[in-house]
Every structure is written in structure tokens, then in C-alpha cells.
Amino acid sequence: QVQLVESGGGLVQAGGSLRLSCAISGSIYSVYMMGWYRQAPGKQRELVSEITVKGTANYADFVKGRFTISRDNAKNTIYLQMNSLSPEDTAVYYCYANIIASLSSFETDTWGQGTQVTVSS
């Protein structure tokens, strides 16, 4: 019922930009932390960035100064603006959200299906 719908991935050349979007689809009671992870082939999934309800963001060191996360609470949507992309950024990017599905529920993590980002050299 509740899904995270991701979009914006694609193929770009080194130095290019992409903007990822992640929207919560379905009825929820409340949403807290949201963010992005990524996973490259043969690598472990790693945190890229996350953002609180109030808009406080944190970033992995390898994207600081290049990526910007933002949040639209009215739309239950987050974005990841990715600039100065390099081949090392090639990965599947996964959106996550920490949500409470209903008034009687506890918070749980929900994940998107992932969107492929490929950066050519």
C-alpha cells in the first residue's frame, strides 16, 4: 500500500548532473527521516544523504559539495540534486523513509525500488 516512487536516474557523462526524486505513495500517518543510499555492483549499500523533517541534512564525505538533498513535506517528497558526477557515482540509488503507517503503528523503514545512475567517463 505504501510505496516510495523514485525517478530521475539515467546515463550521463562525467561532469554532468541528475536530479533524483522520491515520493511517498499511499496513506501514511507520519514520516520522519528520509534519505538516499546507493549500491554499486560488488559493493555494499552506503548512505549518500539524509534529511530530517525540519530540513537538516547530512552527507557522506564523498558527495559533500556536489550533491544537495531537499525535502517537500507537503508532497512527502525528497530530491537529490547531483552535480559534478563522476564514474565513481555509478550505482543504483535507493530512497528510504522512516514512517509511521497509522496512529497505532511504530516507525518502520520503507525502501524504494531503486533507480540506476550511470556516469560514463
Side-chain angles (χ1 to χ4, degrees):
Q1 53 180 34
V2 177
Q3 300 181 65
L4 303 185
V5 182
E6 300 155 318
S7 62
L11 174 64
V12 298
Q13 294 183 9
S17 298
L18 287 173
R19 186 174 187 247
L20 306 183
S21 299
C22 173
I24 299 174
S25 177
S27 179
I28 61 171
Y29 178 74
S30 187
V31 58
Y32 298 96
M33 189 76 76
M34 296 185 70
W36 296 91
Y37 279 70
R38 72 185 188 186
Q39 187 168 22
K43 304 292 185 180
Q44 293 186 336
R45 189 171 299 187
E46 60 185 354
L47 175 69
V48 177
S49 182
E50 57 187 1
I51 185 168
T52 69
V53 175
K54 299 297 184 181
T56 301
N58 62 279
Y59 299 91
D61 288 340
F62 54 81
V63 302
K64 285 183 178 178
R66 300 189 297 123
F67 292 7
T68 303
I69 192 170
S70 59
R71 180 167 182 160
D72 185 341
N73 290 327
K75 297 182 180 296
N76 284 330
T77 300
I78 62 168
Y79 308 90
L80 186 67
Q81 179 66 47
M82 304 186 294
N83 299 323
S84 301
L85 286 164
S86 69
E88 290 72 30
D89 297 313
T90 295
V92 177
Y93 284 69
Y94 296 92
C95 177
Y96 82 90
N98 184 253
I99 66 171
I100 294 178
S102 67
L103 182 60
S104 60
S105 300
F106 291 97
E107 60 189 57
T108 58
D109 289 334
T110 302
W111 293 85
Q113 81 287 348
T115 183
Q116 177 70 47
V117 171
T118 303
V119 185
S120 62
S121 59

